Amino acid sequence: MSSFTLTRTLPADVGDDALRADVTKGLGGGPKHLPPKWLYDARGSEIFEEITRLPEYYPTRAEREILLDRASDIAAATGARTLVELGSGSSEKTRHLIDALAGLRTYVAVDVSPSALEQAGRELLVDHPGLDVHALVADFQHGLQLPSAPGPRLVAFLGSTIGNLLPAERAEFLSGVAGLLSPGDAFLLGTDLVKGERELVAAYDDAAGVTAEFNKNVLSVLNRELNADFDPAAFDHVAVWDAEREWIEMRLRAREELTAKIPSLGLAVHFAAGEYIRTEISAKFRQEGIRAELAAAGLELRHWWTDRAGRFAVSLAVRS
């Protein structure tokens, strides 16, 4: 018999407190920045799904290609009875793994959105009778505690979401993952790879302007949740490749001098013409860099798979 369980480890109001703290810190001084998680309200998530279907945005297709081609190899290498997905969202990208893991008994989906977890979990039960689905409302960056589940376990962090973390945050996150793994468990990681600037910038600044709409949506979030008065039309979406750090920066750049008010925080945010808010970084990786970051966290890279064009990689690691 299959089952569905939803557990909340985040207080219901934690999102409100975190948003207020992030905006106060990120817009109260300079340079201005906001964490990328605030891009993904219900509307932002819808727009991002549209982005994944754009011709310029290759990462989703490239990762899906790897999972389709290598799911049986991943299953053979891990023998996982439990699959844990961090930042699961719709759980769409892991369905290929679920199909391939013949001995799978439990799927643990971890996300901050209860509605996304509920919908994805119910759909999986229909398609995979006999699978126990445990939905965990939690923040994978802060003291994640996994429910008890049969081993060996495969912890998956896909979509190159790790690229949204700054280097120190990545180190902390990977150390936390290593601490979750028992002997026999494994960690599956999706990473976008370094490539030419033109291809990278196009993926984050598409011709149809969908990514621009996605980026500006964060201002609508601030207006709705904090009673702010940002005018999205007063900002341009910009995507910049930082060759030294090897990451893409998404920015919102003020078209002219302006001041936006956030009464609930007592903030008046002044912008000079051309001044910007950094809303996201998306780091790109090389195999030797991934190996080193994993090793520093106590993890050993065992397998490395790329799509046929060599644009994206999925790697498998175990505790050293």
Side-chain angles (χ1 to χ4, degrees), residues 252-265:
L252 290 172
R253 185 176 61 203
R255 292 183 172 180
E256 58 188 16
E257 184 177 2
L258 62 91
T259 298
K261 298 182 180 63
I262 312 178
S264 64
L265 299 180

Side-chain angles (χ1 to χ4, degrees), residues 137-159:
V137 183
D139 185 342
F140 59 75
Q141 282 189 260
H142 297 101
L144 179 62
Q145 299 273 329
L146 294 177
S148 130
R153 298 176 302 174
L154 174 61
V155 177
F157 191 42
L158 300 173

Side-chain angles (χ1 to χ4, degrees), residues 19 34-48 51 209-225 228 230-233 235-237 250-252 277 279:
L19 176 61
L34 291 170
K37 63 185 175 182
W38 302 119
L39 294 163
Y40 294 91
D41 67 340
R43 177 58 185 150
S45 297
E46 289 176 359
I47 303 171
F48 183 72
I51 288 171
V210 181
T211 311
E213 181 185 358
F214 172 67
N215 198 11
K216 291 184 181 185
N217 182 66
V218 75
L219 300 179
S220 299
V221 172
L222 301 187
N223 290 347
R224 182 183 67 243
E225 300 298 331
F230 284 93
D231 177 8
F235 291 83
D236 289 321
H237 162 71
M250 288 209 320
R251 303 171 177 175
L252 290 172
I277 309 170
T279 54

Side-chain angles (χ1 to χ4, degrees), residues 48 57 59-60 63 67 85-87 93 156-164 189-192 204 282 284 312-314:
F48 183 72
Y57 194 80
T60 302
E63 185 177 57
L67 293 176
E85 184 179 8
L86 307 179
K93 51 188 171 289
F157 191 42
L158 300 173
S160 202
T161 306
I162 195 169
N164 296 145
L189 178 64
T191 48
D192 196 9
Y204 293 84
S282 184
K284 308 306 170 185
F312 199 96
V314 171

Side-chain angles (χ1 to χ4, degrees), residues 239-258:
V240 177
W241 170 241
D242 186 323
E244 181 179 351
R245 294 184 175 96
E246 295 191 326
W247 70 41
I248 285 281
E249 282 195 12
M250 288 209 320
R251 303 171 177 175
L252 290 172
R253 185 176 61 203
R255 292 183 172 180
E256 58 188 16
E257 184 177 2
L258 62 91

Side-chain angles (χ1 to χ4, degrees), residues 141 162 165-179 285 292-299:
Q141 282 189 260
I162 195 169
L165 306 180
L166 292 164
E169 294 171 331
R170 292 203 302 267
E172 183 179 0
F173 167 74
L174 290 172
S175 294
V177 168
F285 299 92
E293 291 195 37
L294 290 170
L299 296 165

